[in-house]
Amino acid sequence: GAIRLSLRIVDNEGHVLAEAEDRARMTPCAYVQRLAGDEVTILVAARSASSAERIRLHVSEAPESLETIDAAQLGQAEIASVARLKAAGEQAEARKKTEAIIEAALAVPGARSSASVVALLADGGLIAYQLGALQAASRAQSAVLELWERALPADAPALQAARGNLANTLRQLGELDRACALEELVLAAFEATLRADHRDLLAARQNLAVTLRGLGHLERAHELEEQVLEAATRTLAEDNPLRVAACDNLATTLRALGQSRRARELAELSLSIRARSLPEDDFLLQQSRGNLAIDLHCAGELDRARELEERVLEVFTRTLPGDHPDLQRARTKLALTLKKRSRDLVRARELE
């Protein structure tokens, strides 16, 4: 079979100088040269004469076979066809095909030890998540995490990405305890290796805060979200997606803590920015609309709340499968607003 190398170069203080899974992803300071037969040479260009003494190589291998390589190549070709279906607006067919790709990949002998198949599952899992095929996404992302936990150091960025992707899916599926455990690991790794205002660290804090809020741990969620918003406001442009998400998420926690005035201010800001910068069907735009609608509902501004909730429901009905949690929540929120207005009670019952 073939051998695929993962390369990571660090100095004595643990700072990553280079990291790659194959030659295509190598940084300028390191690359793999494949020679005749099974011989592989790793060439390193040190940044300075002194740094050459501080370089350590961590090399792991993921066994491949002709079957896993062929399956990965075929799957990637199928992934390209899914992208075409998505672009044509054929969401249901794209979901069905993505689920089939994932199941076929998982059935290949040696799939969970093959870097080629796991790379395919990483791509398929992300697409499945975007299409709302959450169970398929969870299966794919679990396989990715299983390999990277065996093959990579505990603080490797690729491992944190795999943990974070699975945690996002588990949160959508309501498996908050499992999601929280993964996100705690990601945050600990990034706090040990990244500067305090690094975007990946801010995103890790933000993701964990969302899960903690779902578990009812509002005070810790609030603390993390205030840290994220402070750093994002100081270092990022107003329309940066991470900064806007920080506003939206903090608003949700403040709302739960009874701080409605500041929550609404942040929600209005988030929606105004996303409405200018995102496509009409974008999921994050629907999130901002839904969050502001909650504030409007509580303030008795039911007509405006209904307008926003109708738009969210229309988009989710077109873009998500019928059993998706976000679609179910959108129906429930609109039904509550219609009932409170004491009008359209028949439609409210239909939505319920």
Side-chain angles (χ1 to χ4, degrees):
I3 294 176
R4 174 168 293 202
L5 291 178
S6 295
L7 174 64
R8 189 167 190 253
I9 303 175
V10 299
D11 61 22
N12 287 335
E13 297 177 350
H15 300 130
V16 177
L17 301 180
E19 181 168 346
E21 294 172 10
D22 53 38
R23 183 170 181 175
R25 300 182 184 178
M26 288 292 167
T27 65
C29 63
Y31 68 93
V32 173
Q33 177 181 348
R34 299 179 185 276
L35 304 178
D38 294 332
E39 184 178 358
V40 177
T41 299
I42 300 175
L43 305 179
V44 179
R47 296 185 177 183
S48 67
S50 60
S51 69
E53 300 175 357
R54 297 185 288 107
I55 288 177
R56 301 195 309 272
L57 297 182
H58 300 266
V59 181
S60 61
E61 66 179 49
E64 301 283 3
S65 66
L66 291 177
E67 193 169 5
T68 59
I69 293 172
D70 288 345
Q73 291 175 344
L74 177 61
Q76 291 294 355
E78 292 294 301
I79 288 287
S81 69
V82 169
R84 290 192 290 271
L85 289 170
K86 287 177 62 181
E90 299 181 35
Q91 303 295 313
E93 187 61 29
R95 274 192 297 273
K96 182 178 178 181
K97 190 156 196 172
T98 302
E99 290 169 338
I101 292 169
I102 289 171
E103 294 308 314
L106 289 171
V108 174
R112 293 175 184 271
S113 297
S114 161
S116 295
V117 175
V118 165
L120 167 65
L121 289 169
D123 293 340
L126 178 59
I127 294 172
Y129 177 85
Q130 294 169 343
L131 290 168
L134 299 179
Q135 294 293 345
S138 176
R139 289 192 293 275
Q141 291 163 345
S142 295
V144 174
L145 181 57
E146 180 183 327
L147 176 59
W148 289 159
E149 284 184 330
R150 294 198 311 267
L152 297 177
D155 61 351
L159 176 55
Q160 312 322 314
R163 286 168 171 164
N165 289 338
L166 178 56
N168 286 337
T169 301
L170 292 173
R171 190 190 313 117
Q172 285 287 340
L173 289 168
E175 299 184 43
L176 298 183
D177 287 323
R178 287 182 64 197
C180 187
L182 290 170
E183 289 166 342
E184 291 278 16
L185 291 172
V186 174
L187 181 58
F190 283 162
E191 284 182 334
T193 58
L194 300 177
R195 67 179 188 274
D197 60 354
H198 193 284
R199 294 187 187 190
D200 289 343
L201 176 54
L202 298 183
R205 285 182 175 142
Q206 192 154 269
N207 290 337
L208 176 58
V210 172
T211 304
L212 289 169
R213 186 200 317 132
L215 289 167
H217 305 315
L218 297 180
E219 292 300 335
R220 188 173 174 218
H222 182 206
E223 178 184 356
L224 288 170
E225 288 168 340
E226 290 283 10
Q227 292 174 12
V228 173
L229 183 58
E230 185 279 328
T233 301
R234 182 165 37 83
T235 61
L236 302 176
E238 184 184 54
D239 60 351
N240 182 278
L242 181 56
R243 180 170 167 178
V244 180
C247 290
D248 219 27
N249 289 327
L250 178 56
T252 301
T253 300
L254 291 171
R255 193 177 299 119
L257 289 168
Q259 300 182 36
S260 57
R261 176 176 295 181
R262 187 172 174 221
R264 177 165 177 174
E265 290 173 355
L266 291 170
E268 293 271 15
L269 176 61
S270 169
L271 178 56
S272 67
I273 295 172
R274 283 177 170 166
R276 293 195 307 267
S277 59
L278 296 178
E280 175 65 21
D281 288 0
D282 190 271
F283 176 83
L284 293 176
L285 178 55
Q286 313 321 312
Q287 184 181 73
S288 289
R289 285 170 172 163
N291 288 340
L292 180 57
I294 295 173
D295 294 319
L296 296 169
H297 184 106
C298 294
E301 299 178 41
L302 300 181
D303 287 337
R304 190 177 172 207
R306 175 185 175 174
E307 177 186 348
L308 291 172
E309 289 167 345
E310 291 275 15
R311 295 172 77 177
V312 172
L313 181 58
E314 188 275 328
V315 171
F316 282 170
T317 299
R318 281 191 292 104
T319 60
L320 296 177
D323 60 350
H324 194 282
D326 287 316
L327 177 55
Q328 300 299 327
R329 282 190 286 268
R331 287 173 176 153
T332 300
K333 288 179 179 179
L334 178 56
L336 289 173
T337 299
L338 293 174
K339 288 172 70 175
K340 192 168 182 179
R341 293 172 77 244
S342 298
R343 287 178 282 176
D344 300 322
L345 296 180
V346 172
R347 182 156 182 248
R349 285 193 292 270
E350 290 174 351
L351 290 170
E352 293 176 324

